[in-house]
Amino acid sequence: MDDLFGGAAPYYARHRADHGDAAIDRLAAAFGARATVLDLGCGPGTVAIPLSEQVEGVLAVDPAEEMLAEGRKLGAGRANIRWLAGDSTTLRELPGFGHVVMGRSFHWMDRRTVLADLDDLLPPDGIVALVGPTRDHENLPWEPVTRRVREEFGVNGLTARDSFQASGKHHDEVLADSPFGDLEAEVFTWRRDRDQGDVIGLQLSYSYSAPARLGERKDAFVGALRAALTAANPSGRWVEEVRTQVLLARRP
């Protein structure tokens, strides 16, 4: 899975739901205006870019150069963001930071090892923050249709070694059994309109159906998606109920 999100960066930046202003405000309030924050697994800057408006600096770290390039483009002019190649195994090589945030990336990591490393690296008041979907299953109205097409193309899922699916442990359970066992959670909800192109682009943003994984079948996949979505919903319009959780983990 070296090319986990190959070709997905522009689709990720355009079609993945952001976390919403309220969630970013909550993170910024917890970190403080003078903070330097590590965004680990930053992707195209979904957290790093809006957060940079409210903190002193952000280290935006991702292993995929495509994601970093997209982030640099979208965050052009944000002088307090440093875009750096790296991952959870290179934490000790990074410049210093006071807090860390992960948005939809923690599940790809060896979570317990990462938390042990962060216990060494973060100051006493350092926060480990996760931002993303809640424990509840995401109820995406188009998912029964898109899942069926993904199954037809054999690209319906990848499981990380230490994910919930593999280990049975949710993120909050792993955090509660770590040095950062003092947990505080808040959930923010809003609605987002999606059109058919948006739903198709979203499929191309996922690791399991990224363009690099589809290869020469990408056009056929997109065509099959378009036909199935049109048959299921000729209007081409959906409403997504977005639920974002901010989970703040501190040392007791």
Side-chain angles (χ1 to χ4, degrees), residues 209-239:
S209 49
R213 191 158 191 232
L214 288 163
E216 295 179 354
R217 300 184 301 158
K218 177 189 169 187
D219 289 346
F221 178 71
V222 169
L225 280 172
R226 185 173 293 111
L229 289 165
T230 299
N233 181 2
S235 75
R237 308 293 303 184
W238 289 265
V239 177

Side-chain angles (χ1 to χ4, degrees), residues 198-213:
D198 212 17
V199 173
I200 292 172
L202 191 61
Q203 309 312 302
L204 297 173
S205 79
Y206 295 141
S207 58
Y208 43 78
S209 49
R213 191 158 191 232

Side-chain angles (χ1 to χ4, degrees), residues 36-70:
T36 296
V37 182
L38 167 63
D39 181 2
L40 183 58
C42 65
T46 311
V47 174
I49 293 171
L51 183 62
S52 70
E53 298 179 1
Q54 300 190 55
V55 298
E56 188 164 302
V58 178
L59 302 177
V61 173
D62 200 276
E65 182 53 44
E66 286 183 358
M67 290 290 186
L68 294 172
E70 195 71 21

